Amino acid sequence: MESPRSALALAGALSLLLSGCTLFPSADRPWYEEADTQALLDSLADATALADDYTLDVGFGPRSEEDARTLLTYEVSSSPAAVRATLRTPEGPELVVVHPEGGQALLHDSQDLLGAPTEWVRGDALLPSPSPAEVLDLGSLADLVGLLSGMEGAEPGPAEDVGNTGTLPLHGVLPALADGAGPGERAALAPLLGDDVSGHLDVSVWVDAEGFPVRMESSGPVSSLWLEFSERGGTSFHVPNGDEVSEPVRD
């Protein structure tokens, strides 16, 4: 699986360094009181591209049925280079898959459905389609976040803590795609809008003092989506190997 790190990281670091005085013009007041709203929005993609160790929770589903929503957790580690994806749905058991960089997917067979002698089973072919790691393309995460820079009518709300991080919430509208929008533009918006990209989308982003999008939310007429980062710079987990992993026995 492609590493979430990208060549945008260096460019992003330089961009944030050069734009620091624009984002936060005064050191005498809390950063969020004088932050430039558009500069914050413009920084989102570059700040996201810099992240290589993080936990990302993604929740989506019907707006009016919280119990019917699906939760995906991506744990991204640079050492070892791997992604652990955990899928929780209202109707099924938890699915955990580890994707080591350059290796096959490792499926956690906690209910011994595959008859293997170990809890971890090797094999990309065993995963559902789409697999948890394919629902959201982590390699293009910065591009997806960057779409929010096109938010219209962005209004800051009162400062809030998300987890242990102080943030400034920005609320606005992502306009509808033009009728002539190409497949690339529609594919980029699919994680936010689903199949229907005809209407506008109410969006919110909670930005920290570094210009990082700690939390994002979108809501349309039928469903909603939220993404929240945590454990940035501190996400790590054990990648099963050796005797911990075996081949499946049952088809």
Side-chain angles (χ1 to χ4, degrees):
M1 178 177 179
E2 183 180 352
S3 169
R5 289 168 290 172
S6 73
L8 291 175
L10 178 59
L14 292 174
S15 174
L16 288 177
L17 178 63
L18 294 174
S19 64
C21 59
T22 303
L23 293 176
F24 322 120
S26 174
D28 298 328
R29 299 168 64 89
W31 68 269
Y32 49 81
E33 291 188 6
E34 297 185 9
D36 184 312
T37 298
Q38 189 57 52
L40 285 174
L41 291 175
D42 290 341
S43 75
L44 297 178
D46 287 341
T48 303
L50 292 173
D52 59 1
D53 287 83
Y54 58 85
T55 297
L56 174 63
D57 288 316
V58 182
F60 49 92
R63 295 185 63 185
S64 59
E65 301 176 40
E66 187 170 344
D67 293 341
R69 295 182 180 179
T70 295
L71 177 65
L72 261 169
T73 298
Y74 296 101
E75 296 166 271
V76 179
S77 170
S78 61
S79 181
V83 174
R84 180 165 64 188
T86 302
L87 174 65
R88 304 174 184 89
T89 61
E91 67 277 357
E94 180 177 276
L95 176 62
V96 181
V97 184
V98 172
H99 293 267
E101 189 175 64
Q104 287 195 60
L106 307 175
L107 175 66
H108 189 218
D109 185 20
S110 59
Q111 298 186 348
D112 192 26
L113 299 177
L114 299 172
T118 61
E119 288 190 5
W120 291 95
V121 181
R122 184 181 295 105
D124 296 327
L126 299 172
L127 299 179
S129 181
S131 72
E134 293 173 333
V135 173
L136 187 65
D137 181 5
L138 296 179
S140 300
L141 185 58
D143 294 333
L144 174 62
V145 172
L147 292 172
L148 294 180
S149 63
M151 182 191 305
E152 295 181 348
E155 292 289 341
E160 294 181 26
D161 286 339
V162 177
N164 296 319
T165 303
T167 69
L168 178 68
L170 303 175
H171 310 289
V173 172
L174 200 62
L177 283 178
D179 292 338
E185 293 174 276
R186 294 181 178 275
L189 278 175
L192 291 174
L193 291 171
D195 293 331
D196 181 10
V197 292
S198 57
H200 74 270
L201 194 67
D202 295 322
V203 291
S204 301
V205 57
W206 284 253
V207 190
D208 71 6
E210 300 172 352
F212 188 87
V214 178
R215 182 181 174 93
M216 293 161 282
E217 289 185 358
S218 65
S219 59
V222 178
S223 62
S224 61
L225 171 77
W226 59 267
L227 302 88
E228 185 172 317
F229 288 90
S230 61
E231 300 297 329
R232 281 184 288 144
T235 293
S236 62
F237 51 86
H238 173 66
V239 177
N241 60 81
D243 294 341
E244 299 174 279
V245 184
S246 61
E247 305 295 335
V249 175
R250 298 174 191 153
D251 295 331

